[in-house]
Every structure is written in structure tokens, then in C-alpha cells.
Amino acid sequence: MFNQTKIFLFLFLLLSLFVFIDCYPCDYNVGCDDGDECTGDSCSIDNLCINIIISCDDSNLCTSDSCSSITGCSNVPISCDDCNACTVDSCLPLIGCCHAPMVCDDCNACTVDSCLNSTGCCHTPIVCDDCNACTIDSCLNSTGCCHTPMVCDDGNACTNDGCSSETGCNHLPISCDDCNACTLDSCSPITGCCHSQISCDDCNACTLDSCSPIIGCCHTQMVCDDGNACTNDGCSEETGCCHTPISCDDGNSCTNDGCSEETGCCHTPISCDDGNACTLDSCSSTTGCCHTAMVCDDGDACTLDSCSQTSGCCSSPISCDDGNACTNDGCSSETGCIHLPISCDDGNACTNDGCSEETGCCHTPISCDDGNACTNDGCSEETGCCHTQISCDDGNACTNDGCSKEDGCIHLPISCDDCDACTVDSCSNEDGCIHLPISCDDCDACTIDSCLNSTGGCCHTPISCDDGNACTNDGCSSETGCNHLPISCDDGNACTLDSCSPTTGCCHTPISCDDGDACTLDSCSPTSGCCSSPISCDDGNLCTIDSCSPSTGCCHTPISCNDLNMCTIDFCLPNFGCVHRLRPSCHNYNEIGININ
């Protein structure tokens, strides 16, 4: 604007060189001074006064050059203020006013630097909230926003500490189940999971108590065999194994009964020698040693042949009474005494029939013990001994029933382990093995619960709550499952339209503050929104009428300086307005209207 003024003034002065060279008679005795400091006065060789308008141009575009007829040239510094607080205004003599954009960078990464034409630089603090409850949001002047992860350790070894971007820290109880049926599982806040060994003592001295990690306590029947063939081995629940000496009595009076730990009962024949030459020594299994008198036959069967214990036989008439209740006695001279055995058969297969010389017939019950604890031994008068297999069925589906010849019935616990980590194995006395599926429900709606035999039991797979919508914060509640909370896209800036795209997330579209009025300066404040301030159309030129059109903006209409006076030269100086210079050739000063010298 000021450059145009300079050009206008230069053209005006150039024109004046031609217009204001007034020539009128002069001589060297009378000066040509026209009393106007703005003209150079001289007298030509033709004795004509020449009054040439001087040039006040100082070749400095930073001054407004003018001339006063009284004081002469003046070079007033121009104002380069463009009324814009966002520029640094200066002036260079060769090019004029310069308006360099102001640098509003405050070297603070925590502010958004901008500039308002009305107020200048403004530094709006940035918002560092990352909408993540798991970070501590702050700002460093050097680097900007920083989001420090929150420490969620609650110092409790019994919780899994985590963090949700929506709710912050969470502390979920850990599972201390070690899948070992032999431990009591608990948790200490200081040391974490504890697994105390359970006691499997069933207070039965006849079982070996142990524990299986899968099924728990096991009570195995104790083997009480002491390796001694001379004892019957048994067990008492109160005292444990007991070893009762067996009876080795074989019912035979002709043996000495004993027992060897290696072989069991042994029966050694006894000696029946009575040292009497008159007896024949023998032994009866029923009665023991028998010492039968030696027959000292003298050829007469009816004589009593006797014998001396030391010398032997001697003969005397005999008495055929043998004193034996088991014989019928008689005598034949040919044969001598006759002692016919009586019949002691009682027709009972369950007795051993014998005869006692003293008492006569005797019937001793036979022993039907077959040494087999797995049979019931009995006897039939018709057929003799009978051995019926005993039943070892204890009516318990949880035992394998068998029989040992030595110990009798044996009831060994069956194994119900189905080698499936996903079942709890147990046994019912009525139905036998039971395999119940274990419950893998962790009461967490955020996991899919299942059981894999290959991995050793329950597994809890986290579900995915991603709804594919960038406009929601996806999370999960252990009570209700997935939740999708709308995010806030409000950027706190009144100069943007905030919206959300499910694909890309928050969008902040700058609003248009153009009010369609070219006479206003439109801007936007992040705090209050659009604002329109009137522009200044003052061009600093007193030679124009400044106005503004809403459609086209500022307009500067040149004023008319014509004072309708022929004795003045009318022109306009931007800094002073209309100028009416008196023509030197005009002497009718009374007709001059306005004369600014």
C-alpha cells in the first residue's frame, strides 16, 4: 500500500516539473524567491524566474516524503503495523514494510502452539489422557506425553495381578489345585500355594497305607507270611500280623511229632525195644508201642510156652485166654491156642476201626482236614471224607475275590484308574468302578472351559471380545462376559466436528468458520469455537475513502480534491490529503479556497 503511495507521489512530482516551471521576468538585482520552500528558485540567462518544485524523495521506502512550503521537505517514518499480532512488522528502506510470520514455538512438547491475529501466540496444553486405566498419564516438556504402566502388584502371592484398560488393576485368585489327590491345597498371601500331605492312616494294622496322586488314599492288604512253615499266618486289625504255631500231631502214637521252619511238620519213628527177650516189639499207630510175647512153641499147641526175660522160652500148659478182648480164644493140639480176631467194622466210613486188647473194638473218627483253607472239610458215613469249595464272594464289587490254600479267602482292592485326567475315579461297593467327569467350570464368563486328557485336565481358553469396531473399548467381565463400551471422541476442541468410524476410530474434521462476509476476519478458538472480527480497511491514505463490501471486501475510493479554483493546482498527498497549490502566474489570491503550503 505504501509503495503505491510512493509511486503516486513520484509521478505527481515529475508532472509538476512540467506544470510548475513558471517563467516570469527577472533580473539579477531582484531575486526569484517565491517564498515557497518546496521550490528551487533561479533566474535564467533570459532574465526569467524559474521555480522548479524540488524532490523530497529520500529513496527510503520506510518514510512518507512530503514538502511544506514553509518548512520544506519532511521524511516521516511510515507505520508498518498490519494489526496482525501473528506477524513481526519491520521496514527495509529498499523494499518497504515486511511482515514476517511470528514463530510461536515455545519448545514445550506439552502444548499446541498457534497464533490468533487478535491476541498473538497461544499455547494450549495438550491432552495426554490415553483412555487407558493401566497407565499414569503425564507430560514432559522435552518429549511430550508419556504413559507410564501402572504397577498392579498387590503383594499377595494368591492372586494373579493384571490390568484392564477400562477398569484398571485387577487381582484374580489363583488356582492352587495341584491335581494331586494326596495333598490338601491352600494358599498363603506371603508364600503362595501350599500343598500339605494328607494322612491315609485307616487305623488298620493289616493294611499298607499309601496315596495315589490320581485316586487318593490306597489301603493294600498286608502279606503276613513269615516264611515259617510251623505257623499259621493271620492278621489282627488292632495288632497286625500274628503267627500261630500249627499242630503237628499226626494221630500216630508211633512217631515223635516235631516241626521244621523250612519243611514244616516232621514225624520221627519212636523206639519200642523194651529189652525183653520174651517179647516181639512192634508199634501200633493207634496205641503206640506193642510188645508181643514171643511164642515158645514146644510142638504142642496147647501148652503154655513161657519165656524168661533173660533166657527165653519155657513151656507149661497154657491158658488160651490171651486177655485180648479183640480175639475169641481156643486151643488145638495141632495148632495150639486159637485167637480169632473179632470183626470191629462198624460200617461207618468216617471212622478208623480198631480194637483194644483191653476194651475191645474202638472206632476213632478219621481226620478229613485236607490242609486246604479253601475247602470246607466234612465226612459222609457212606463215602467218607468230602471237601466242598468255599465261596469267597464278599459281596463287594470293589474287590477281586480269590482263595489261598494257606490263608483262605483273599479280597484285593481293584484299580479304578481309567487313565483319564478328566474323570474322578472311585468305587461303589454295590456297582464297582465309577468314573465321574470333573467340573472344569472356573466361574469366569471370559473363558471357554474344557478338559483334555492329553494335557492333564482342565483348560480355560480366553475368549476373544474384539467386535471389530474401532469405536468401542472391548473388555470382558468374569461375571457377564464380553462388553463393548463406546469410546469418547471428544477432543475438547470446539474447532472440530468429532465423530467415529467403526473401521478407523475417532475422526476430528475441522469446521468451516467462513461467515461469507469479506469484511470480517474469521478464525476459530479451540475453547469457544468460531469467531469473526471486523477487518480494518484503513489504507493509511488520506486520498481515499475506505469502506468494505461484504461480497468483495475492502475498497478504497479516491477522493476528489477539485476546489473549482482555476488559480490552484489541486492534488492529493496520501499523508496530508488534498493540496491546493497557488499557481505562480495567478494573482487573484482572493479566489483561492484552500491553500496548503
Side-chain angles (χ1 to χ4, degrees):
M1 179 173 63
F2 289 103
N3 291 339
Q4 293 175 346
T5 303
K6 290 288 188 179
I7 295 171
F8 178 81
L9 183 58
F10 175 77
L11 293 175
F12 173 78
L13 294 173
L14 184 61
L15 181 62
S16 298
L17 291 175
F18 298 96
V19 175
F20 295 123
I21 300 177
D22 289 335
C23 299
Y24 51 91
C26 65
D27 56 38
Y28 289 103
N29 297 320
V30 179
C32 287
D33 185 3
D34 59 357
D36 188 347
E37 291 297 322
C38 294
T39 59
D41 306 324
S42 64
C43 187
S44 72
I45 59 175
D46 297 326
N47 294 324
L48 294 175
C49 283
I50 299 175
N51 306 104
I52 301 173
I53 296 176
I54 65 175
S55 171
C56 288
D57 183 7
D58 60 356
S59 298
N60 186 349
L61 294 179
C62 296
T63 59
S64 177
D65 305 324
S66 62
C67 190
S68 165
S69 59
I70 298 172
T71 60
C73 286
S74 64
N75 307 103
V76 180
I78 64 174
S79 171
C80 285
D81 184 5
D82 60 355
C83 299
N84 185 348
C86 293
T87 58
V88 177
D89 305 323
S90 62
C91 192
L92 296 176
L94 296 179
I95 60 175
C97 287
C98 305
H99 309 289
M102 182 175 290
V103 177
C104 287
D105 184 4
D106 61 354
C107 297
N108 186 347
C110 295
T111 59
V112 175
D113 304 320
S114 59
C115 192
L116 295 177
N117 294 344
S118 55
T119 59
C121 288
C122 52
H123 309 288
T124 308
I126 64 175
V127 177
C128 286
D129 184 5
D130 61 353
C131 299
N132 185 348
C134 295
T135 58
I136 298 172
D137 304 321
S138 60
C139 193
L140 295 177
N141 293 346
S142 56
T143 59
C145 288
C146 50
H147 310 288
T148 306
M150 185 175 292
V151 177
C152 287
D153 184 5
D154 61 354
N156 186 345
C158 296
T159 58
N160 278 326
D161 305 320
C163 194
S164 162
S165 59
E166 290 78 33
T167 58
C169 288
N170 52 58
H171 310 287
L172 302 178
I174 64 175
S175 170
C176 285
D177 184 6
D178 61 355
C179 297
N180 185 346
C182 297
T183 58
L184 290 175
D185 305 322
S186 61
C187 192
S188 164
I190 298 173
T191 59
C193 288
C194 313
H195 309 289
S196 305
Q197 199 73 22
I198 64 174
S199 171
C200 287
D201 185 5
D202 61 354
C203 298
N204 184 348
C206 293
T207 58
L208 293 175
D209 303 324
S210 61
C211 193
S212 163
I214 298 174
I215 61 173
C217 288
C218 308
H219 308 289
T220 307
Q221 197 72 24
M222 184 180 291
V223 177
C224 286
D225 184 4
D226 61 354
N228 187 347
C230 296
T231 57
N232 281 325
D233 304 320
C235 192
S236 164
E237 290 187 358
E238 290 75 33
T239 60
C241 288
C242 49
H243 310 288
T244 307
I246 63 174
S247 171
C248 285
D249 184 4
D250 60 355
N252 187 347
S253 299
C254 296
T255 57
N256 284 323
D257 302 322
C259 192
S260 164
E261 289 185 359
E262 290 76 22
T263 59
C265 289
C266 49
H267 309 287
T268 307
I270 63 175
S271 173
C272 287
D273 183 9
D274 59 355
N276 186 350
C278 294
T279 57
L280 292 174
D281 302 322
S282 64
C283 190
S284 166
S285 61
T286 305
T287 59
C289 286
C290 304
H291 307 288
T292 306
M294 182 181 292
V295 178
C296 290
D297 188 7
D298 58 354
D300 185 354
C302 291
T303 58
L304 178 62
D305 303 318
S306 60
C307 189
S308 167
Q309 291 184 359
T310 56
S311 58
C313 288
C314 54
S315 299
S316 59
I318 63 170
S319 168
C320 282
D321 182 3
D322 58 5
N324 186 348
C326 296
T327 58
N328 287 321
D329 304 322
C331 188
S332 166
S333 58
E334 291 82 17
T335 59
C337 286
I338 301 171
H339 308 289
L340 298 176
I342 63 175
S343 175
C344 285
D345 184 3
D346 59 1
N348 186 347
C350 294
T351 58
N352 281 323
D353 301 324
C355 192
S356 166
E357 292 179 355
E358 290 80 20
T359 59
C361 286
C362 55
H363 309 287
T364 305
I366 65 176
S367 172
C368 286
D369 184 2
D370 58 1
N372 187 348
C374 296
T375 56
N376 284 324
D377 302 324
C379 193
S380 164
E381 291 185 357
E382 292 77 22
T383 60
C385 287
C386 52
H387 309 288
T388 307
Q389 194 74 21
I390 66 174
S391 172
C392 286
D393 184 3
D394 60 359
N396 186 347
C398 295
T399 58
N400 282 324
D401 304 322
C403 192
S404 163
K405 288 184 179 182
E406 292 76 20
D407 304 317
C409 287
I410 299 172
H411 308 288
L412 300 177
I414 65 174
S415 171
C416 286
D417 183 5
D418 60 359
C419 297
D420 187 348
C422 295
T423 59
V424 176
D425 305 322
S426 61
C427 192
S428 163
N429 291 346
E430 293 78 21
D431 303 317
C433 288
I434 300 172
H435 309 289
L436 299 177
I438 65 174
S439 172
C440 287
D441 185 4
D442 60 359
C443 298
D444 187 349
C446 296
T447 59
I448 297 173
D449 305 320
S450 61
C451 187
L452 293 178
N453 184 35
S454 60
T455 59
C458 291
C459 52
H460 310 288
T461 307
I463 63 176
S464 171
C465 287
D466 184 2
D467 59 0
N469 187 346
C471 296
T472 58
N473 278 324
D474 304 322
C476 192
S477 163
S478 59
E479 291 78 23
T480 59
C482 289
N483 51 61
H484 311 286
L485 301 177
I487 66 175
S488 170
C489 286
D490 184 3
D491 60 359
N493 187 347
C495 296
T496 58
L497 289 176
D498 303 323
S499 62
C500 192
S501 163
T503 305
T504 59
C506 288
C507 317
H508 309 291
T509 307
I511 63 174
S512 172
C513 287
D514 185 2
D515 59 2
D517 187 349
C519 295
T520 59
L521 182 63
D522 303 320
S523 62
C524 190
S525 165
T527 306
S528 57
C530 288
C531 51
S532 305
S533 53
I535 65 175
S536 172
C537 287
D538 183 3
D539 58 2
N541 189 349
L542 296 177
C543 297
T544 57
I545 297 174
D546 303 322
S547 62
C548 191
S549 164
S551 59
T552 60
C554 289
C555 49
H556 309 287
T557 307
I559 64 174
S560 173
C561 287
N562 187 1
D563 59 359
L564 303 178
N565 187 341
M566 297 299 294
C567 289
T568 59
I569 297 172
D570 303 321
F571 59 94
C572 191
L573 294 176
N575 291 328
F576 298 101
C578 287
V579 176
H580 309 286
R581 183 172 296 282
L582 180 64
R583 294 180 183 274
S585 59
C586 187
H587 301 286
N588 188 9
Y589 299 113
N590 293 328
E591 296 179 1
I592 297 175
I594 300 173
N595 183 14
I596 300 176
N597 294 316

